Amino acid sequence: TETGDIKDILVKLDEVSVSMALGQAIQETGWGESRFLIQGNSIFAEWTWGGDGMLPRARKDGLIHRIKTFPTLYDSVDSYANNLNRTRYYAGFRRMRATLRAQDKPLYGRWLMSSMVRYSTQKDVYILEVKKIIRDNNLDDFNTVKLEPEVNT
């Protein structure tokens, strides 16, 4: 962090709500049907501006981004968590998460999604769609699940 303050570090090292991640994964992949997921292990359709990545078919004129690809699904989840925990665009998410922690409240995805207005170009429409997915599928029930790294046997 810029300040080196342990409180700032802990805010950036906290977990991402499982229900929010599941809701966004469902929305971003069209329930697992997107070519970004199938061909590139990209669960969250993260943008990249380098030479790597998949070209979106319906990319608007003037935009130059691609969609990041990953060797494994775990790498996609890891990138998503790092993106939310590190980039300036999600400082509001980190503040809301820290507030919920300070109040000893659960990290419900349907609450945290309110802070994700910069995740999608669809802004509020996107937020409402993901909140509906979380609610309709009881995804907050999964908030205690932990993702383990792949183990090669």
Side-chain angles (χ1 to χ4, degrees):
T1 66
E2 292 177 14
T3 66
D5 186 343
I6 192 70
K7 290 178 189 173
D8 290 340
I9 293 169
L10 291 175
V11 165
K12 289 188 174 186
L13 289 177
D14 203 352
E15 68 188 75
V16 173
S17 164
V18 173
S19 58
M20 186 177 86
L22 288 172
Q24 287 190 271
I26 290 167
Q27 178 67 14
E28 294 294 338
T29 66
W31 288 92
E33 298 292 322
S34 78
R35 77 180 172 94
F36 301 127
L37 174 66
I38 294 166
Q39 296 173 9
N41 288 321
S42 182
I43 301 172
F44 301 97
E46 292 181 88
W47 289 17
T48 184
W49 290 267
D52 294 333
M54 296 175 70
L55 185 65
R57 288 185 183 132
R59 185 173 67 179
K60 293 180 182 176
D61 288 341
L63 294 179
I64 59 170
H65 72 283
R66 292 178 173 262
I67 302 299
K68 281 187 191 180
T69 59
F70 301 93
T72 69
L73 295 173
Y74 183 87
D75 292 323
S76 180
V77 173
D78 188 51
S79 178
Y80 166 77
N82 284 330
N83 187 21
L84 296 185
N85 282 329
R86 293 182 181 165
T87 62
R88 67 176 188 234
Y89 302 110
Y90 307 111
F93 161 76
R94 294 189 296 273
R95 280 191 303 273
M96 180 179 277
R97 181 178 60 188
T99 299
L100 291 171
R101 287 280 194 218
Q103 295 171 353
D104 201 29
K105 292 184 177 177
L107 299 180
Y108 288 139
R110 61 186 188 273
W111 293 347
L112 288 165
M113 274 310 298
S114 297
S115 66
M116 298 296 288
V117 71
R118 299 204 57 193
Y119 197 87
S120 169
T121 57
Q122 296 175 338
K123 304 205 181 286
D124 292 331
V125 171
Y126 177 81
I127 289 170
L128 291 173
E129 288 172 352
V130 175
K131 282 182 173 186
K132 182 176 180 353
I133 289 168
I134 293 168
R135 184 187 64 246
D136 290 353
N137 295 282
N138 300 311
L139 297 181
D140 281 320
D141 293 347
F142 293 95
N143 278 340
T144 58
V145 173
K146 302 292 181 211
L147 183 63
E148 296 291 330
E150 292 181 52
V151 177
N152 294 328
T153 56

